[in-house]
Amino acid sequence: MRRRLAGGVLATVGLAGAATTAPRPLLGQALFRSVSSVEGPVPAAVGMEGAAFCRAYQCVGSTSVGTTTSGTQGWYVVPPSARAAEVLRGHDAGRFFPEATVMYEGNVVVYTDLAFDTAVRQTLPAATLNLLGNFTRLVLGAPISGQKLSACYRALQTGARCTVGSGKVRLASGAVRTYQAAFRIVDDGDGDTRVKYAIGLDD
């Protein structure tokens, strides 16, 4: 099932009390939880939408594929002052906004990425480096040094991929899995280039 989330609706349903209890790190944890609303319990992507990341930035729902068990969820990551409806209209008109994508299986997050630009720059802008740092904290619960991120990013000027680092993360089940963090340049399928920062579990 594919549907468009109108104006980040999921981000506004019953999450006020959930923000302080969202699991950390996001990778390897549950994405959806049942939360209270005026219509009764409803599933919400609390793992993402209840996180500090989506309070520092505004996470506007973009697309959703699948169910609350397995699938992909996306959010445009914009300043808190941005209007969700204007972001969606701007995207439809061809404007680029950073977009976070989360893939999950059995309601456990297995892969995340952040499409943060349309081309590789000479240097990584400070605001973008801050965004990448906050995204890392969201996904891993701990930072990766800005120096390491910047050095790997510069490698994209001569290659389509650079591995930032790897490590281990404990899943909600208690099992321990390895992950990799990497920059990569991809074609979004419509002929547009996207520069992405991806963090996902190894197969």
Side-chain angles (χ1 to χ4, degrees):
M1 178 181 70
R2 184 176 181 87
R3 60 189 174 88
R4 182 68 175 266
L5 303 182
V9 170
L10 290 179
T12 63
V13 180
L15 295 184
T20 58
T21 59
R24 292 293 181 269
L26 179 61
L27 189 66
Q29 302 299 315
L31 177 62
F32 282 92
R33 284 217 325 260
S34 178
V35 299
S36 299
S37 74
V38 294
E39 299 176 350
V42 295
V46 175
M48 178 72 177
E49 294 162 350
F53 182 84
C54 287
R55 298 195 299 275
Y57 305 94
Q58 183 179 177
C59 298
V60 178
S62 55
T63 56
S64 173
V65 180
T67 67
T68 56
T69 301
S70 296
T72 302
Q73 297 277 334
W75 293 265
Y76 300 120
V77 181
V78 295
S81 60
R83 294 180 179 272
E86 292 179 0
V87 170
L88 295 174
R89 284 196 297 268
H91 170 75
D92 290 341
R95 288 186 60 193
F96 172 79
F97 299 98
E99 184 175 12
T101 300
V102 174
M103 295 177 59
Y104 53 100
E105 298 174 358
N107 195 28
V108 172
V109 175
V110 296
Y111 172 87
T112 66
D113 69 33
L114 178 68
F116 62 91
D117 210 337
T118 58
V120 177
R121 314 297 173 182
Q122 285 294 112
T123 59
L124 196 57
T128 302
L129 182 59
N130 189 52
L131 173 61
L132 296 175
N134 286 329
F135 186 73
T136 304
R137 290 183 180 90
L138 164 71
V139 178
L140 298 178
I144 291 177
S145 76
Q147 184 177 10
K148 182 176 289 187
L149 288 169
S150 296
C152 195
Y153 175 80
R154 288 194 296 271
L156 293 180
Q157 295 177 11
T158 56
R161 179 183 173 89
C162 175
T163 299
V164 179
S166 61
K168 295 183 178 180
V169 64
R170 186 175 299 277
L171 310 187
S173 64
V176 175
R177 292 273 300 276
T178 59
Y179 69 83
Q180 284 197 8
F183 287 112
R184 56 196 182 97
I185 304 172
V186 300
D187 187 320
D188 70 354
D190 295 322
D192 295 321
T193 298
R194 295 290 181 263
V195 185
K196 293 189 173 186
Y197 174 51
I199 307 173
L201 299 178
D202 289 334
D203 295 333

